[in-house]
Amino acid sequence: MSREMVYLITNMNMKMLDAQLALQCAPVLMNYKISNLLIVEKEKISQVMQLFPKTELSCKLLMVSGEKAAFLIYREQELISYLERIEVREMMENFGYARYSLEEILKEFSARYTQYVEEDGEFPHEMGLLLGYPVEDVAGFIRNEGENFLYSGYWKVYTNLSEALKHFERYDQAKETAVRMVSEGKNIFHILNHEAFQDRQWKQVMI
C-alpha cells in the first residue's frame, strides 16, 4: 500500500458508510468481482438496506450479532451464473445445498453463518464460493485446513497463483480508486458511475 493510501485511510472517517464500502467492497463496486462481504455497525442496517435498491448491486443481510451486521453485496446475475457452473454446483451440493435458487442458497447460508458466529460452530466453507473464489482454492483450503498455501491475499491460493495475483492487483487498484474518491467527498453513486468503469462490459473471468 502506498504512503498516499495509508495517509488517506488514516484520515478517513471510518464511521461513514461510504468509507467502509470503499475499503471492504471496492472490487464489486468497480465491477471487478461478483461479490464482497460488508461488515458494519448494527445501527447501519437500515442505511445499507435503503442504499442498494438504488444501484445495480444487490445486498443480503446475512447475520446480526452483538454490535455488528454482515451483508453480502453482490451482482445478482453474475453470482447466479457462477453458482451454476458444474464444478461450483457440485461443491455446493456436497455442502448440503439441495435447493438451488439464489434466494434459497442465501437463506440457508445466512442461517449457517449466524450459527457459526454465535455458537462457534463449523465454519461454512461455502462462503468462499459465494464470494466467487476458485473452486480449486476452496477445496485446497479445506483439504489443507488453511495451511500449505502458495500465497495469502484476498483468499488463500492453492492453484494458479499467477492468475490469482492478477486479480489481487485489480482489487487493490479498485480499493485505491474508491478510497481516493471518498476522500475527495464523493459517495457510492460516484464510485459506481466512475468514468473509468462506465463502459466496461462485465466479463466473468472466474472471480
Side-chain angles (χ1 to χ4, degrees):
M1 186 180 296
S2 68
R3 289 184 179 180
E4 179 192 8
M5 284 300 106
V6 172
Y7 174 80
L8 292 176
I9 292 171
T10 301
N11 287 276
M12 287 172 69
N13 180 358
M14 294 311 303
K15 292 186 177 181
M16 291 174 50
L17 179 58
D18 289 326
Q20 294 173 328
L21 282 164
L23 285 173
Q24 298 183 51
C25 299
V28 70
L29 296 178
M30 294 292 191
N31 207 4
Y32 278 136
K33 200 170 184 292
I34 58 177
S35 59
N36 274 120
L37 201 63
L38 174 67
I39 299 176
V40 296
E41 298 81 0
K42 186 168 61 176
E43 59 264 25
K44 287 190 171 68
I45 290 176
S46 61
Q47 189 179 353
V48 174
M49 298 295 291
Q50 293 171 14
L51 174 64
F52 284 98
K54 305 173 186 177
T55 74
E56 61 199 56
L57 300 175
S58 300
C59 75
K60 167 68 176 179
L61 177 61
L62 297 175
M63 179 275 302
V64 180
S65 181
E67 297 302 313
K68 296 292 183 179
F71 290 87
L72 185 71
I73 310 302
Y74 61 98
R75 294 181 178 272
E76 183 173 0
Q77 290 306 313
E78 287 77 12
L79 181 55
I80 290 173
S81 295
Y82 181 72
L83 292 172
E84 286 178 348
R85 294 185 181 188
I86 294 175
E87 66 275 21
V88 177
R89 184 161 189 153
E90 287 179 351
M91 181 170 279
M92 288 295 289
E93 289 174 351
N94 288 336
F95 286 138
Y97 286 81
R99 298 181 178 180
Y100 214 71
S101 73
L102 182 57
E103 181 180 357
E104 290 167 335
I105 288 173
L106 293 180
K107 181 179 179 180
E108 175 64 21
F109 174 72
S110 175
R112 295 185 185 191
Y113 183 45
T114 299
Q115 182 178 15
Y116 165 73
V117 171
E118 293 186 345
E119 300 179 11
D120 196 27
E122 183 178 353
F123 179 76
H125 291 288
E126 60 269 31
M127 176 185 286
L129 298 178
L130 291 173
L131 291 172
Y133 299 168
V135 171
E136 298 83 358
D137 289 338
V138 175
F141 182 90
I142 296 171
R143 186 168 55 250
N144 291 276
E145 298 182 344
E147 302 296 332
N148 306 317
F149 47 86
L150 299 175
Y151 187 87
S152 181
Y154 286 82
W155 67 87
K156 289 185 176 179
V157 181
Y158 290 87
T159 61
N160 206 348
L161 177 58
S162 61
E163 188 67 22
L165 291 176
K166 291 177 184 177
H167 286 298
F168 294 170
E169 183 177 359
R170 294 188 189 105
Y171 300 165
D172 286 341
Q173 291 172 351
K175 184 183 293 186
E176 289 191 9
T177 299
V179 166
R180 188 176 292 108
M181 292 180 73
V182 170
S183 71
E184 294 170 352
K186 297 181 173 65
N187 59 30
I188 183 177
F189 299 106
H190 292 105
I191 294 171
L192 286 168
N193 293 294
H194 181 42
E195 61 180 0
F197 301 90
Q198 277 184 334
D199 298 327
R200 179 185 297 121
Q201 295 181 349
W202 174 265
K203 295 182 179 179
Q204 181 73 20
V205 179
M206 176 186 339
I207 309 300

